[in-house]
Amino acid sequence: WANLHVLEGIQSEQRQDTSKAIKSYQSAIRMSVDDVRVYERLIELLYSEGRFEDAESYIGQLGRIANSSNRISSVSLRLSERNRSNSLELARLGVEARPLDPYAWIWYARRLTISSREMTEENGKAVLETAEKALLRARELAPEEVDSVRTLFQLYAQTGKTEKVESLIAEATSKDSKIKPESDRLLTVGLMYRFLGQFDKAQQYFSQAMSSGADSSRTNLQIGRAHV
């Protein structure tokens, strides 16, 4: 019976009856057909019909086997790109809905930064500039929040903007600095100094961060991430 459903699916495809083909392949899989080619046909049809969550579900059912199929891997890649695009759009809408929320701007900047990695150099540069503006807006809205400073540092480190990292250090170590919590401020300054190759100063701030009550495991995790 399972093979009969597969045959019905193929015939429905030939007649361009996509809906019936999908139902036939689904019936075959429910009857324990384990032929990856049936999954390939079904997943491609689901994607073509815009049923993305269903396509992802069947890819998930295959587990590692999905990686052995070029056709399924291609769909998986397109789904991944779509998800990233959706995440960026949601972040943009978040900024529109909450323009006075610094964390909305930080999240938008992070999604922009991730998106830039898959663009051409010229387009990526423009997107990173937009990300920087978003983070500077977050700094204006909440100058005391360390997250915007940390994310700006990560952006500048990624783009090799040493002078801007130095400006961030000057801001974060100023007597007038309002950045908090104190332990996170000290840790972030230490990470920036280490990026600049000033390891003695970096260690000094790491020690101060620990003395100010920073959780040791969390601090070590942050320091370790900077090596990646």
Side-chain angles (χ1 to χ4, degrees):
W1 288 108
N3 289 331
L4 180 59
H5 285 301
V6 173
L7 180 59
E8 288 176 347
I10 293 172
Q11 291 174 339
S12 296
E13 278 193 81
Q14 292 172 344
R15 294 194 300 270
Q16 296 186 340
D17 189 346
T18 303
S19 179
K20 187 172 182 179
I22 287 173
K23 290 179 181 178
S24 296
Y25 292 139
Q26 287 176 323
S27 295
I29 289 173
R30 280 196 296 269
M31 298 181 72
S32 301
V33 165
D34 58 1
D35 189 336
V36 71
R37 291 172 296 182
V38 177
Y39 277 89
E40 287 174 340
R41 290 177 177 272
L42 175 59
I43 289 167
E44 287 178 337
L45 288 175
L46 288 170
Y47 184 87
S48 70
E49 291 294 292
R51 294 172 58 178
F52 305 121
E53 291 183 0
D54 289 336
E56 288 179 327
S57 176
Y58 281 104
I59 292 173
Q61 287 182 31
L62 285 172
R64 294 183 179 179
I65 297 174
N67 297 327
S68 66
S69 167
N70 290 332
R71 292 170 63 180
I72 293 176
S73 294
S74 175
V75 174
S76 182
L77 179 60
R78 280 177 278 163
L79 286 169
S80 178
E81 291 172 346
R82 176 182 174 276
N83 290 338
R84 282 194 292 271
S85 177
N86 285 349
S87 295
L88 177 57
E89 179 63 10
L90 286 173
R92 187 187 68 78
L93 291 173
V95 165
E96 288 186 359
R98 306 187 309 280
L100 299 181
D101 181 353
Y103 284 98
W105 288 98
I106 293 171
W107 179 244
Y108 181 42
R110 287 173 176 167
R111 301 315 304 177
L112 285 168
T113 302
I114 292 172
S115 298
S116 72
R117 296 169 186 167
E118 299 176 358
M119 298 179 180
T120 62
E121 183 177 352
E122 182 178 355
N123 291 340
K125 182 179 179 181
V127 168
L128 289 173
E129 289 175 354
T130 302
E132 181 180 4
K133 290 177 182 178
L135 289 170
L136 291 174
R137 178 56 179 155
R139 296 286 302 122
E140 291 176 1
L141 291 169
E144 75 283 359
E145 290 294 340
V146 72
D147 285 341
S148 58
V149 176
R150 185 184 296 123
T151 309
L152 260 176
F153 159 57
Q154 292 168 347
L155 176 63
Y156 292 152
Q158 177 182 329
T159 53
K161 295 182 177 180
T162 302
E163 291 182 359
K164 292 195 174 184
V165 174
E166 292 172 343
S167 295
L168 272 181
I169 290 177
E171 179 184 349
T173 56
S174 167
K175 292 181 179 179
D176 298 326
S177 176
K178 299 178 181 179
I179 299 171
K180 58 183 181 182
E182 178 69 359
S183 57
D184 283 352
R185 181 187 71 84
L186 294 167
L187 174 59
T188 302
V189 172
L191 292 172
M192 290 192 284
Y193 270 126
R194 192 173 65 183
F195 168 74
L196 295 176
Q198 299 182 35
F199 301 110
D200 288 343
K201 285 188 176 181
Q203 188 56 53
Q204 173 188 335
Y205 276 91
F206 291 151
S207 297
Q208 288 181 28
M210 296 290 290
S211 298
S212 67
D215 178 78
S216 59
S217 59
R218 179 171 172 271
T219 301
N220 290 332
L221 177 61
Q222 290 285 353
I223 295 171
R225 282 176 175 170
H227 282 298
V228 178

